[in-house]
Amino acid sequence: MCGIIGYTGQTYLASKIVLDGLERLEYRGYDSAGLAILTNGEISVKRDSGKLRNIREGLESGLPSNHLAIGHTRWATHGRPTQDNAHPHKDNNSRIVLVHNGIIENYLQLKSTLLEKGHKFLSDTDTEIIVHLLAENEKHEASFKDAFFKTLGQLEGAWALSVVHVDYPDTIFIAKKNCPLLIGLTEDEGNFVSSDITAIIKYTRDVVYLEDHQAGMLTPGNLDLFDTKTKTQINYNVERVDWNPVMAEKNGYRHFMLKEIHEQPDVIRNTIGTNTNEEDGSVYLPDINMSNDDLLGIRKIIVVACGTAFYAGLVGKYLVEKLARVSVEMDLASEFRYRDPVLDKDTLVIAVTQSGETADTLAAINLAKERGCKTMAIVNVQGSSIARAVDGNIFIHAGPEIGVASTKAYMAMLVAFELFALYLANLKSTIEVAVAKQLIHELKVIPQKIEEVLKDKEDILKIAQKYTQYKSMLFLGRDLNFPTALEGALKLKEISYIHAEGYAAGEMKHGPIALVDRECPVVAVVTDSPVYEKVVSNIVEARSRDCRVLSIASKGDKEVQGFSDDVIKVPKVMDLLSPLLNVLPLQLFAYYVADLKGADVDQPRNLAKSVTVE
Ligand code: F6R
């Protein structure tokens, strides 16, 4: 949710580095931001509520040059998004300052003890208790390091922390539990701490991913890491990230979302990589880390995910069941973790996640591991908590996704499921070689078909202009494109704030048809498929209630104009691959409607990328 960045080094541009990093982190939370610097034994804090672009000048002005700074961009959990609640938070003597991601669950109890001891609180946040607790513990411990470790032992909940103390002018104290935090190391240009690689990728690709219950000290030339439970120093691995800084820029597009929609052909190509063989229909999954016997022993698959990733999982369920004949259950990660699911060693639990840090999805995977299941992730961020927690991965190579509304990651997740379903089907001999070959061939052609639709995007813009005034819309799809309808509705509601429901077209008569009238258009996915006629009759039923109908149909469909007010045509494609192509016009439709309405497409209200708290 929130974003953290810190820098300690020789250059005296620390605050600029941190402010630039905050700009890259803003997609993690954007209701307030702030930074702290340390110069000549004094801490200066600047913070404010609002989006960074509106407050950056104020944060920057009057800051002396310095070589250590920490910064934070916030998505409010405890306490409204005000200036007082913005991070960093200081202790009452201005000796300690910190930024925090996560939630301190026992903060009320700790706060009442600290109030009795005379600490004065200036915010409504749970975070502020940490800085007071550090100050209190420092009075009784031999060193600040001891006070830091003692404090961590008293906290319950989740944290990624960066702390600065006036007596240690080049040190950032860092700690992690249940919230992502990584260190970026350079040879001689200083070191970085961040919640997210995109904030520091401009400076370094050499990173250390902190594990839970780790804490340490970062200086310009060194990183010392400790296990907070045993208090022993630990060794760490430095990993090389394969993203580059250009990937995290807008490259001339008006919004990251539009850029990411346009990146989808390459994302598909990169996710397929060299992992398929069209000549024999085989698939290679280099990081799946499960033997054929393991996979053949699976009796049930459960897919756990949230939001858009959940809808990608739903397409995955249809694909795996159709191709590999293994039963797949879908579970919202937030439900799975609390509902005592039936799990055993023959169950494979697959997490689907762009960030690899979604708190509920991570908790679901941990539960599956405790119960002895095999675990796998379809994940974008290599090195993320979920990627490291599971037995095996399928990495989706979408590159950094900055737009809060997920587009290219969804597309890549679908590709990963196509590959996985085919891999399993080949192993179980539930697919004919000719079909496998055709699937691979057509999958590889999808990027060109997507480029064709992108070329005609102005037509989608013109259609979108007719839909901006509506307050509610119903999205319909069936079979493999039921999840497409769900995803289309989610895209529209999250960025344009128009209420939208996604429904299986066949369910319409069981309730949602009551919503349909001239004020509630229907958006229907009605491309060539075995259920084409069924969807048509659902649309006709809706249309007889006077609603406007926008259809996503296949090129060459001559009937669709007869029951639609507007039509977006997509190239013909094998039914099994249709969700990849059909979601594209819905992403563009949502984008244009939102943009025409003047909404902040990349940073929709109340949302944040990566929901790292419950
Ligand atoms: C919607 C969206 C969210 C995410 C969800 C899961 O556009 O982006 O619904 O899909 O928060 O996030 P990840 O995939 O990072 O686990």
Side-chain angles (χ1 to χ4, degrees):
M1 314 229 67
C2 314
I4 285 179
I5 174 164
Y7 168 78
T8 173
Q10 288 78 10
T11 164
Y12 278 81
L13 293 170
S15 55
K16 187 174 173 344
I17 290 173
V18 162
L19 278 164
D20 288 348
L22 286 181
E23 245 166 45
R24 279 157 215 283
L25 281 177
E26 212 186 3
Y27 71 117
R28 281 194 159 251
Y30 31 84
D31 58 38
S32 50
L35 81 165
I37 61 163
L38 197 57
T39 7
N40 305 327
E42 270 188 35
I43 290 170
S44 327
V45 170
K46 291 275 187 104
R47 55 188 189 169
D48 208 344
S49 58
K51 295 208 169 184
L52 194 65
R53 61 173 169 267
N54 301 329
I55 59 176
R56 181 170 173 149
E57 216 179 289
L59 295 183
E60 229 164 356
S61 67
L63 277 180
S65 26
N66 48 82
H67 66 91
L68 181 149
I70 54 174
H72 189 265
T73 174
R74 179 166 187 253
W75 188 87
T77 50
H78 285 75
R80 291 170 52 75
T82 59
Q83 186 177 38
D84 284 345
N85 289 338
H87 300 213
H89 291 283
K90 276 197 293 185
D91 73 310
N92 291 145
N93 296 320
S94 293
R95 289 171 56 75
I96 309 167
V97 65
L98 60 77
V99 292
H100 164 231
N101 286 354
I103 289 188
I104 303 305
E105 285 161 5
N106 56 339
Y107 86 103
L108 284 175
Q109 182 196 330
L110 292 168
K111 189 170 178 175
S112 70
T113 316
L114 288 161
L115 282 169
E116 278 166 25
K117 294 194 165 144
H119 290 262
K120 291 198 173 43
F121 284 80
L122 306 171
S123 77
D124 308 320
T125 64
D126 54 335
T127 296
E128 196 189 348
I129 67 106
I130 310 173
V131 78
H132 290 283
L133 199 54
L134 283 164
E136 187 59 35
N137 285 335
E138 195 189 9
K139 293 183 200 158
H140 311 288
E141 295 296 318
S143 69
F144 183 66
K145 180 181 148 197
D146 292 342
F148 183 55
F149 284 105
K150 180 169 181 192
T151 301
L152 295 174
Q154 291 170 304
L155 302 177
E156 286 168 21
W159 54 84
L161 271 176
S162 292
V163 182
V164 174
H165 188 291
V166 282
D167 292 345
Y168 304 85
D170 63 356
T171 305
I172 304 177
F173 294 80
I174 47 170
K176 164 183 159 47
K177 187 187 155 218
N178 294 345
C179 271
L181 197 66
L182 55 91
I183 304 300
L185 299 174
T186 70
E187 284 285 303
D188 48 18
E189 287 173 52
N191 290 328
F192 300 80
V193 54
S194 183
S195 51
D196 197 320
I197 185 67
T198 48
I200 61 170
I201 189 110
K202 196 165 142 189
Y203 308 100
T204 181
R205 289 159 64 185
D206 294 327
V207 302
V208 178
Y209 295 99
L210 263 62
E211 302 283 350
D212 284 345
H213 304 288
Q214 288 185 348
M217 280 81 68
L218 182 70
T219 59
N222 195 37
L223 167 67
D224 283 332
L225 269 190
F226 296 82
D227 181 320
T228 52
K229 290 199 217 143
T230 60
K231 312 246 171 11
T232 49
Q233 188 152 6
I234 48 174
N235 296 325
Y236 49 80
N237 291 331
V238 180
E239 294 177 39
R240 185 107 180 128
V241 175
D242 70 357
W243 290 356
N244 65 54
V246 179
M247 288 166 135
E249 304 291 342
K250 269 195 213 151
N251 293 344
Y253 284 94
R254 230 167 99 66
H255 294 104
F256 277 110
M257 183 178 174
L258 192 59
K259 175 195 169 218
E260 289 162 4
I261 289 173
H262 280 79
E263 283 174 345
Q264 293 181 118
D266 282 339
V267 164
I268 296 174
R269 291 183 189 108
N270 293 341
T271 303
I272 300 171
T274 51
N275 298 328
T276 56
N277 184 346
E278 213 177 311
E279 281 172 23
D280 63 5
S282 64
V283 172
Y284 171 60
L285 297 176
D287 303 300
I288 195 160
N289 207 18
M290 259 172 261
S291 68
N292 288 355
D293 283 348
D294 283 345
L295 287 167
L296 288 169
I298 291 165
R299 296 279 156 270
K300 180 174 75 177
I301 295 176
I302 304 181
V303 176
V304 289
C306 306
T308 284
F310 181 84
Y311 299 148
L314 197 51
V315 176
K317 168 188 162 74
Y318 283 42
L319 289 172
V320 171
E321 290 188 345
K322 277 177 198 288
L323 293 178
R325 309 305 301 152
V326 182
S327 161
V328 183
E329 287 175 17
M330 287 303 303
D331 241 306
L332 289 165
S334 53
E335 289 296 308
F336 179 86
R337 59 185 295 194
Y338 292 117
R339 73 166 180 81
D340 197 13
V342 179
L343 301 169
D344 61 26
K345 65 175 183 26
D346 298 329
T347 307
L348 170 66
V349 177
I350 304 180
V352 189
T353 171
Q354 186 283 126
S355 61
E357 301 293 351
T358 301
D360 286 323
T361 312
L362 180 57
I365 282 296
N366 287 336
L367 175 67
K369 282 169 56 174
E370 274 164 33
R371 303 273 183 95
C373 305
K374 297 178 184 67
T375 56
M376 191 185 105
I378 289 180
V379 55
N380 191 31
V381 181
Q382 301 193 13
S384 59
S385 305
I386 293 173
R388 283 177 295 138
V390 289
D391 298 323
N393 284 291
I394 302 180
F395 292 112
I396 60 173
H397 305 289
E401 191 177 60
I402 312 283
V404 166
S406 181
T407 51
K408 62 176 179 171
Y410 177 79
M411 185 70 81
M413 287 166 185
L414 300 190
V415 174
F417 270 115
E418 299 279 357
L419 298 178
F420 178 65
L422 187 50
Y423 185 83
L424 208 54
N426 281 336
L427 200 63
K428 295 187 71 209
S429 305
T430 50
I431 188 167
E432 285 171 27
V433 177
V435 180
K437 287 190 206 174
Q438 189 199 353
L439 189 59
I440 291 176
H441 174 75
E442 292 212 19
L443 180 61
K444 287 185 168 170
V445 184
I446 291 280
Q448 278 153 255
K449 297 192 171 173
I450 288 187
E451 276 153 5
E452 264 180 62
V453 179
L454 287 171
K455 255 192 259 141
D456 293 336
K457 61 177 186 283
E458 296 296 315
D459 297 343
I460 301 178
L461 168 62
K462 283 189 200 125
I463 290 174
Q465 283 162 348
K466 303 183 208 166
Y467 288 80
T468 52
Q469 84 280 14
Y470 290 103
K471 300 230 165 1
S472 189
M473 289 188 217
L474 189 60
F475 285 65
L476 300 179
R478 211 162 171 153
D479 194 28
L480 280 157
N481 286 294
F482 162 44
T484 312
L486 292 169
E487 175 60 3
L490 178 60
K491 286 291 89 84
L492 185 74
K493 73 182 118 182
E494 70 181 326
I495 59 171
S496 75
Y497 317 137
I498 293 174
H499 169 249
E501 300 256 6
Y503 255 92
E507 263 296 289
M508 206 186 43
K509 286 204 278 296
H510 302 282
I513 199 162
L515 288 173
V516 173
D517 61 13
R518 65 178 70 241
E519 298 303 323
C520 176
V522 162
V523 181
V525 184
V526 58
T527 48
D528 274 2
S529 80
V531 292
Y532 175 83
E533 298 298 342
K534 305 273 173 205
V535 184
V536 172
S537 56
N538 297 137
I539 297 172
V540 173
E541 283 157 12
R543 208 161 184 240
S544 54
R545 271 86 189 165
D546 288 338
C547 68
R548 190 171 188 98
V549 171
L550 163 60
S551 291
I552 312 300
S554 299
K555 279 195 174 144
D557 183 335
K558 301 221 167 52
E559 290 172 36
V560 63
Q561 302 290 358
F563 53 82
S564 314
D565 299 278
D566 302 292
V567 181
I568 301 171
K569 294 264 178 88
V570 293
K572 283 198 180 183
V573 66
M574 200 175 173
D575 189 39
L576 287 167
L577 295 169
S578 60
L580 282 88
L581 211 53
N582 292 348
V583 75
L584 176 66
L586 299 184
Q587 293 170 339
L588 285 165
F589 176 72
Y591 171 79
Y592 286 128
V593 170
D595 194 32
L596 288 163
K597 290 186 74 184
D600 190 341
V601 171
D602 281 335
Q603 295 178 350
R605 69 184 181 205
N606 305 339
L607 291 176
K609 194 102 183 148
S610 297
V611 183
T612 51
V613 294
E614 263 195 75

